[in-house]
Amino acid sequence: MSRSRHSGYRLLLRVLPSDLRRDFGEDMAQMYADRLRDTEGWIERIKLRFEATRDVLGQAMREHGRRAAGTVASFVREGWTMDAWKQDLRFGFRALARRPGFTALASGTLALGIAATVSMFGVVRTVLLEPLPYPDSEALVVLQARSLEDGSVGGTLDHPDIRTIQDQVPEFTVAGYAATRPTLTGFGDPQVILGARVTDGLVSLMGLSPALGRDLQARDDSPDAPYVTVVSHDFWQRHLGGNRDVIGQTIMLSGQSWEIVGVAPEDFDFPGGSEVWMPRRHELEDCGHGCRILRGLGRIAPDAAVEDVQARLDAVGVRLAEEYPESHEETGFLIESLLGNEVESVRTALLSLLGAVAMVLLIACANVANLLLVRASARRPEIALRATLGASRTRIVRQMLTESLLVSAIAAIVGVAIAWWGTEVLMSMAPASLPRLDEVSIDASIAGFAIALAFAVTALFGVLPALQATRRLDRTARDGNRTEGARDSDRSRSLLLSAEIALSLVLLLGTGLLLRTLGEIRAVDLGFDTQSVERFRFSVPGARYDSLGIVAFIEEVERELEAIPGVAAAGWGFGVPLAGGNITTSIRLLDRPEVDPQDRPEASIRPVSNGFLEAQGMRLLSGRWFDERDRYGSPGVAVINETMAQAHYPDADPIGKRIGADVSWSFEETPEMTIVGVLADVTDRGPTIAPRPAVYLPNAHFGANSGYALLRLEPGVASVIPEARGVISRLDPGIAIWGEASMDTVFF
């Protein structure tokens, strides 16, 4: 080193004039060499003195039972002053500023992992962990029908069940409700809104009070009671201008005038975004015991135990089974937490996603730890010099952890910003069926979680590189030996790489299983064609159409839709695949001896139009489909699915057999039916759920007023929904359509 510096000095002398260099150049070079030699000797003596002092102090500390560095105790004791922390932070900022590429890469990698984890944690916390936004929400429960024979939960209840429980279980407040979609008119174009038919007291059951007026009461549920309704706070603001004199005004819902008797409290929209609540106006003769169309919601009294309420409900179930064996044989009741019931279907999926993003964060931590190990290897001379000048291992480790903490802090700030934006995007892409979707947000508690996560991340990725870089400081400082440190660093990086590979394999395995499952689902024979099929929903108001008028209107809609250019076939069905709307009831096999009502088999009843088969793209295996012969008043006919044929006619041809269904709609009763065809099974509840026995019958014999229109498009036609909306508006301006969708997007 001295020789090279001396040669450099002689080169600098060449810039002097030649006569000056000839007279004094040699003396100047000699003087520079002497001073350089003296300086290097002084530095070496200072270094030796530092080493001697360090050895003496180290020996003294060992003699008194202490260790100079490398222990947690010394780490805690050393340097806990404000000046020391300020110095560490200043040095850390300068160190990161000198390496902007490294800082951006490390903090960016962590920020993405933190953002994904924070966003997913926000969803999981809101949906699964936070209590419902009602007073004493832990006392709210769902009441469901339960089979005492196999323990299965049926879900819905009949109207007399609700009234019986209200009378016989005083410590349990219960109400029944069913979702509905009335058509609102009188406020511009007709629009379908969300609502609920309720027995009574749904708002007060939730522990709330109406903002104006009163709640629905039991007397409103009578068939001859006035038509009254409670509207939501948002409905009151948007459609009624927030007028406080709104009580007593009327609105038109599905062609019927309803008097407003109350305004619900702000943000109350149970169930599922409801804007209006109407009494069921129940008629026992039309829908009594066994007519299970209501969901039950209850509140347990503060001084009552869940076990006691369940026991009393079991006793009520036994009494009902004794009094009404045909409809309540082997039937009881079950209560469970409202929160648990709402999130049960998404719990596993959300926790799995949270676990997946946590693994992504761990992989990001391992990547950053590798970056820090590489950087620490390059900094070993700097670390050795600091140790030579007297810095302890604890001091150096703390400085390196401070730098890691700064990287984490930057990552946390950026990660929260990304999470705030990403959560909005995530919620816009989430399915509407995700409960509590509107409550998900990034708030102060989530930001606190991000900060805590940043500290945890620092511990994960910062400690190992700091400890690794400061191993054997005495040997490195004395000998300049980097081989062993490099070997240790390589070993640590190999361990981190192995951990990354293991975590990545877990994620890849889960992804592979998911893709395989999706592939198997797509390979399932759905029983119909989803390509180039659009659907939408509409309801014919019973207040303005009688039973025959409903049937005639739907048939006219089908003809007009089929006449739209680009439409190959049009049809209508009360229930279509993955859209609900099917009715399950007991059936009678009329070619066989009569059995007890509780022993009758069950089947799904599906009223459809003549064009439904072609529009849906289903396959008729034998017999015929419905046609113009199957009008109101003609002999009853039915087409059954393959599952029902195999279950009840395994060794015989079902064509010509007669069946009956214990259900009716607009007409007084459904006629007994002759089976005229067998249809291939249709996946109506999902590709992984086995089809149930199903009976298709002409809607002309049933009179359902609400269902789905199906449009099979010709090749090259993108959509005809605007034209279809025009058809409905022309035939009846008071009817609106909703639920527009393409069948291939519904399934895949």
Side-chain angles (χ1 to χ4, degrees), residues 467-483:
L467 294 177
Q468 186 68 59
T470 56
R471 289 186 62 187
R472 299 179 177 85
L473 286 177
D474 53 345
R475 183 179 302 178
T476 303
R478 184 175 62 252
D479 303 331
N481 185 4
R482 303 181 186 179
T483 304

Side-chain angles (χ1 to χ4, degrees), residues 84-131:
W85 279 112
K86 289 181 179 179
Q87 183 181 7
D88 285 344
L89 289 173
R90 285 195 299 269
F91 186 84
F93 276 119
R94 288 198 301 268
L96 294 178
R98 286 196 300 268
R99 303 289 194 280
F102 164 81
T103 304
L105 181 60
S107 59
T109 300
L110 284 178
L112 293 176
I114 290 175
T117 307
V118 166
S119 294
M120 203 63 232
F121 174 76
V123 175
V124 169
R125 185 205 61 170
T126 300
V127 176
L128 301 183
L129 304 179
E130 287 191 346

Side-chain angles (χ1 to χ4, degrees), residues 200-221:
D200 58 294
L202 191 63
V203 175
S204 58
L205 185 148
M206 290 293 195
L208 304 171
S209 299
L212 293 175
R214 65 173 178 87
D215 198 359
L216 294 177
Q217 301 172 355
R219 68 173 187 265
D220 301 321
D221 198 29

Side-chain angles (χ1 to χ4, degrees), residues 8 53 63 87 99 101 134 138 158 245 290 401 512 533 553 735:
T53 303
E63 290 174 356
Q87 183 181 7
R99 303 289 194 280
Y134 309 114
E138 65 278 359
D158 60 45
D245 297 329
L401 285 179
V533 178
F553 182 83
I735 295 179

